[in-house]
Amino acid sequence: MESKQLLTSEQLFTWGLRVYWEDTDAGGIVFYANYLKFFERARTEWLRALGFEQQRMKQEQDAMFVVGSTSVRYLSPSRLDDCLQITVEPRELGRVSMTLFQQARRGEQLLAEGEIRIGCVSPATLKPVRIPAAIVAALSKSP
């Protein structure tokens, strides 16, 4: 079993987005699966803010992240033109995977939250590989 490092909650990242027509369902609310898209976009921007671009990681380090599991709770609807804040909070860091906690909020109101486990794999084989050392170092730092 992989050993995990618990990370501090001070490493919270927030990314804003607006709800567009394409994000809503026939009832005029955000389609539930789109929260996973919002979470994915926020994770990409979180990595970028840490100094890591996923395409470069794939090309230069022969590594990429894939989602291994998700668990999402939906608490309140969001609608067209709402401005949302999507957070990323790293919780556990292992050699080949990490667990992140994410939330979608409209102002102070919590709309959805979830735990996402991502793994690092080789793009060619899709077999697990170590998370690049620079990412581990960035996440292991105390803010």
Side-chain angles (χ1 to χ4, degrees):
M1 179 171 206
E2 180 182 14
S3 66
K4 303 257 184 196
Q5 172 186 351
L6 294 177
L7 299 170
T8 64
S9 62
E10 288 107 29
Q11 298 179 6
L12 183 70
F13 173 80
T14 302
W15 182 68
L17 66 83
R18 182 176 302 278
V19 174
Y20 294 111
W21 185 262
E22 68 195 32
D23 300 320
T24 62
D25 62 15
I29 61 173
V30 170
F31 182 62
Y32 76 95
N34 285 337
Y35 287 98
L36 290 172
K37 289 182 184 182
F38 299 162
F39 289 171
E40 176 74 29
R41 292 175 194 164
R43 287 193 307 276
T44 297
E45 295 305 325
W46 165 69
L47 283 170
R48 191 182 315 275
L50 288 173
F52 306 102
E53 295 179 18
Q54 293 192 75
Q55 185 64 24
R56 238 179 54 221
M57 186 174 120
K58 183 178 170 187
Q59 293 170 338
E60 296 173 7
Q61 298 183 27
D62 194 36
M64 67 182 199
F65 287 113
V66 296
V67 172
S69 66
T70 64
S71 173
V72 181
R73 287 184 342 131
Y74 302 96
L75 303 161
S76 189
S78 182
R79 293 179 168 78
L80 180 67
D81 287 331
D82 281 351
C83 290
L84 307 182
Q85 299 80 43
I86 311 299
T87 62
V88 179
E89 181 184 340
R91 292 272 174 98
E92 291 182 343
L93 177 63
R95 291 184 301 243
V96 299
S97 69
M98 70 176 90
T99 302
L100 307 165
F101 181 71
Q102 295 193 253
Q103 293 185 324
R105 292 181 173 275
R106 182 182 48 240
E108 294 298 315
Q109 185 176 23
L110 180 60
L111 306 173
E113 63 183 3
E115 187 173 270
I116 316 295
R117 190 174 131 308
I118 59 175
C120 193
V121 300
S122 163
T125 66
L126 299 180
K127 293 191 187 265
V129 296
R130 286 187 179 267
I131 296 171
I135 293 176
V136 172
L139 293 176
S140 297
K141 284 185 201 172
S142 294

